[in-house]
Amino acid sequence: MSFTVTKTSTRTSNSQAVFKDSADIDPDVAASIANIDHALRTNPAVQSRSVAMSPDGLTKTTTTVWESQSAYNEFRTTNSSDLAKLASAASTYNKANGIVVATTTSGA
């Protein structure tokens, strides 16, 4: 059964930064972003991945459909070091810029 992970990022106004300028990203974090991106693009268990932006530009929704929850769990385990670096940097950046992130899952 497929397993869906949906991440929604919301800013409160258009004056807030959307994403950190890549020139300002710590090299270790930048490497982790590249590693995760590559792992998602090449993982055969990813059935689909989509990104949508709201018309007002304040909300970005990323949806990834996995072939199963166990495939998603395996991806998280395999990439845990890069995911931890990315999560830490994103949390700090999002708090500083008033960005709220919510992640939901469905399926099992």
Side-chain angles (χ1 to χ4, degrees), residues 3 7 11 13 15 25 49 77 83 86 96 102:
F3 183 73
K7 183 176 94 172
R11 300 178 297 143
S13 74
S15 63
I25 295 178
R49 185 163 168 81
T77 299
L83 288 168
L86 185 56

Side-chain angles (χ1 to χ4, degrees), residues 25-79:
I25 295 178
D26 176 276
D28 284 342
V29 174
S32 290
I33 291 169
N35 292 343
I36 295 300
D37 182 57
H38 176 75
L40 283 168
R41 285 185 290 109
T42 60
N43 193 314
V46 174
Q47 295 179 332
S48 67
R49 185 163 168 81
S50 64
V51 179
M53 186 67 78
S54 65
D56 62 7
L58 297 178
T59 302
K60 175 182 171 184
T61 302
T62 304
T63 302
T64 306
V65 179
W66 294 84
E67 68 182 18
S68 66
Q69 185 172 359
S70 63
Y72 171 71
N73 292 343
E74 182 179 331
F75 169 81
R76 293 191 54 80
T77 299
T78 302
N79 296 283

